[in-house]
Amino acid sequence: NPKAQCQDGIDNDGDGKIDLEDSGCESLQDNDEYDAPACIPVSTPEDLDNVRNNLAGSYCQMNDIDLAGYDFKPIGNKTNPFTGSRFDGGNYEIRNFYYETSLPYAGIFGVVNGTGIANIKLKNVTIISTNSYVGSLVGDCINGSIYNSGVDDVYIDASGANSGNVGGLVGFNPSCDIISSYSINGKISS
């Protein structure tokens, strides 16, 4: 079986970008590098927070976003996951995410299902949780892909009685492709 265009290592549409580096690729399973869907720009903490109001949208981060002092809560949960065609961080940072919770599914994205997340750089993340499915970027990643994304300087304390499925970048990964991504300079306890 031939590989899908978004994982074949070939510049199928001639724009100089291949596979998940190409904005036309929504996931590794995507067989069309062409015609990337138009994306909704994300420039501020408020824009990022508003992603939860359209969980099926396609988003592109336009600049660094500082969440210091902003009461940001995870995007998507088990009942209503983020299912958008993509979230492309544009290699910009999301900084200073602090979140304390007793609920499951903690991270910038609580639950994602069937979507591509790419090029997000997190810096200085603290999550304190007494529950499970905790990761700085995604709490629970189902049937999707995370590409070229990572976290630097992460502290996660998920040591409560209900804790489990904890990771630096992704808390639980039953079926996501994670490629060229990282979690560095962190302390994680569960």
Side-chain angles (χ1 to χ4, degrees):
N1 288 345
K3 290 184 176 182
Q5 284 188 10
C6 292
Q7 62 174 316
D8 65 3
I10 299 170
D11 179 11
N12 295 288
D13 61 358
D15 66 357
K17 297 179 180 178
I18 61 168
D19 298 342
L20 292 179
E21 290 178 1
D22 193 302
S23 61
C25 289
E26 298 172 15
S27 72
L28 286 175
Q29 292 74 34
D30 188 352
N31 196 33
D32 184 6
E33 276 187 6
Y34 300 84
D35 302 318
C39 65
I40 299 165
V42 175
S43 300
T44 66
E46 293 80 9
D47 291 343
L48 184 61
D49 200 24
N50 284 329
V51 169
R52 75 187 69 257
N53 298 324
N54 179 6
L55 294 169
S58 177
Y59 296 91
C60 296
Q61 187 174 333
M62 308 306 287
N63 49 266
D64 291 341
I65 296 174
D66 190 345
L67 294 175
Y70 193 88
D71 186 22
F72 187 85
K73 296 187 175 34
I75 297 165
N77 56 43
K78 196 67 165 180
T79 307
N80 296 300
F82 177 70
T83 58
S85 59
R86 69 179 164 147
F87 189 103
D88 186 341
N91 290 312
Y92 293 109
E93 287 185 351
I94 298 174
R95 294 188 294 266
N96 302 315
F97 175 43
Y98 179 88
Y99 183 59
E100 263 187 76
T101 186
S102 61
L103 300 173
Y105 310 110
I108 295 291
F109 294 90
V111 180
V112 299
N113 190 344
T115 188
I117 294 177
N119 307 314
I120 295 179
K121 310 302 183 209
L122 303 178
K123 179 81 173 169
N124 190 27
V125 174
T126 299
I127 300 175
I128 300 168
S129 173
T130 57
N131 218 307
S132 56
Y133 303 99
V134 181
S136 60
L137 182 57
V138 178
D140 187 1
C141 190
I142 306 163
N143 299 323
S145 61
I146 295 173
Y147 177 76
N148 191 40
S149 296
V151 59
D152 181 2
D153 191 15
V154 58
Y155 173 77
I156 296 176
D157 180 354
S159 55
N162 296 320
S163 67
N165 297 310
V166 178
L169 190 64
V170 176
F172 185 59
N173 177 24
S175 54
C176 265
D177 296 313
I178 300 176
I179 302 162
S180 301
S181 297
Y182 61 89
S183 174
I184 58 174
N185 298 321
K187 179 178 180 183
I188 299 167
S189 58
S190 64

